[in-house]
Amino acid sequence: MKNYLVNIDKRFLDVIKKIGQESDRQKMSAYIVGGIVRDILLKKKNYDLDIVIEGNVKKLAQSLAKKLKAKAIFYEQFGTATLNLENKLRIDLVTVRKESYARSGALPNVKLGTLRDDLFRRDFTINAMAMGINHSNFGHLIDLFNGKEDIRHGKIRVLHDKSFIDDPTRILRAVRFEQRFQFHIERHTLSLLKKAIKNKLTDNVTPTRYFVEFKKMLCEKSPVPNLRRLKGLGGFYFLHPQFKINLRHVNAVHQNIQKMRRKSMYKDQNQWWMVYLLAIVTHLSGDQRKGFGKKVHLRREEAKSLAQLEDCSEIMKQFLRKSLKRSEILKMLHSLEESVIFYLRAKTNQQQSHQYIDRYWSVDKNVQLSISGEDLKQIGLHEGKKMGRMLNEIYYHKIDKHIQTKQEELKLAKQLY
Ligand code: CTP
């Protein structure tokens, strides 16, 4: 039988081998499953290792943690464990399980099952394959539902007709995998998906859970085709019943994001998904955005970003003015969340605004005063609002390049005093 694990990254292969050996030692069967198997067949990189075992997860995870020098986290109530390795590799271990859903969109009831049950509970055939990692079957593909054929033909196919009813978040997953791999949702699956949307099954899922899956869409390399497909399927009502996405705007923002990501000053940012979200919800009213943020339980700074959209058009207007002082730009931008600054940068093609934001981001936001409150105390000032105002004043002078050295800062402080 073919060994599919021969050509994968060496460091990764070593880890898989060690897990296999330890499973052999503990007389357990272990398999890699899900997305990683799909990506091995597609020859795509993926370092999220999902392992199912027929045996005791905790016992295996404890000895693996020692062997791989990993940090183990146990989730007793789910019978799962996560190992975090030094090189950012993450391994999830779980016992083979069978799932059933009491009602559409509910979290599944989980029981111990067989490998077949474990594969059958999954979303699509392409994600329902396993590979053995014990010595006797190392790298052997276990493909009970024709996942490999579906990969070959580029098909996204559910394993059974209740798949979207059980878990409506799979609507978003179907679109995401279809667009990521340039596959197509197979005909019968597509009709089940459309029926699920028509029957508003997404209302059965908690908005937070649904949003987690939506966020993954925004984290894809090119979210726009995903959004276009979702719009075509009428799948946006979960944001707001009357929501109409402006794809032209999102696409324009995307084009600029692509250019920004190539610039060294923005390269390491990881808030891009939030910039897409801002572009998507920008046409909702302030109240609607607030309601949406609450509904999906956005984190505090994410909700703040949504609220700060209110200020964007005024700032853009100001940016059109000729020769704004650097300190004036700083005053406008410094209290904004990063994602809002990036959104401002990405929503316009206007050169001057780009320059203003780039200079703020790469230089001015990092400027610090050389003097502190202690220096001001020495010239007789007391702590308090006045001191704060004076430090700000000196800071703005420094940003505007009127002063540079500590001596100049002190001199200005004395003058202002
Ligand atoms: N899964 C599922 N139904 C879901 C979510 C996940 O059946 N609603 C299963 C699939 O088998 C999937 C696996 O759990 O492959 C892991 O899920 P996840 O990490 O979300 O997806 P990946 O397939 O690994 O995709 P990605 O490459 O986007 O991480």
Side-chain angles (χ1 to χ4, degrees), residues 150-163:
D150 283 342
I151 286 190
R152 204 160 73 81
H153 293 113
K155 282 186 184 168
I156 310 289
R157 182 204 302 272
V158 285
L159 279 87
H160 55 85
D161 285 4
K162 274 188 74 209
S163 193

Side-chain angles (χ1 to χ4, degrees), residues 34-35 38-39 46 48 50 121-123 127 167 169-170 173 176-177 180 216:
R38 173 200 71 214
D39 288 344
N46 182 339
D48 277 340
D50 284 326
R121 73 181 171 87
R122 292 171 187 270
D123 50 3
N127 291 338
D167 180 357
T169 68
R170 290 175 176 167
R173 294 176 65 83
R176 186 159 62 85
F177 293 124
R180 185 197 289 174
K216 287 189 194 166

Side-chain angles (χ1 to χ4, degrees), residues 75-86:
Y75 304 95
E76 305 278 352
Q77 74 271 40
F78 301 114
T80 65
T82 298
L83 299 176
N84 289 307
L85 274 67
E86 272 167 1

Side-chain angles (χ1 to χ4, degrees), residues 289-388:
R289 282 199 295 265
K290 202 168 166 189
F292 168 72
K294 272 202 180 135
K295 187 170 94 172
V296 301
H297 286 117
L298 285 186
R299 300 204 338 233
R300 206 169 55 88
E301 60 279 12
E302 292 162 357
K304 200 168 156 198
S305 298
L306 253 55
Q308 287 178 343
L309 274 178
E310 296 292 342
D311 309 328
C312 286
S313 45
E314 181 54 33
I315 295 175
M316 289 323 280
K317 232 190 271 164
Q318 294 287 331
F319 276 2
L320 292 178
R321 274 173 45 200
K322 280 229 166 63
S323 62
L324 276 177
K325 281 205 280 185
R326 294 169 83 141
S327 59
E328 287 177 307
I329 297 166
L330 178 116
K331 282 180 211 169
M332 283 187 241
L333 299 181
H334 85 282
S335 59
L336 295 183
E337 291 292 313
E338 286 182 8
S339 56
V340 181
I341 297 176
F342 297 164
Y343 175 58
L344 277 174
R345 172 73 167 69
K347 79 187 283 239
T348 177
N349 288 324
Q350 211 242 338
Q351 283 294 315
Q352 181 170 273
S353 303
H354 286 180
Q355 281 162 9
Y356 283 162
I357 295 173
D358 290 350
R359 191 176 56 193
Y360 165 77
W361 188 255
S362 59
V363 184
D364 291 352
K365 87 170 167 44
N366 305 316
V367 171
Q368 283 182 351
L369 280 181
S370 309
I371 57 167
S372 64
E374 284 308 308
D375 297 295
L376 294 192
K377 274 191 210 160
Q378 298 217 341
I379 59 168
L381 220 80
H382 299 293
E383 244 166 301
K385 274 190 188 157
K386 206 168 172 189
M387 186 188 274

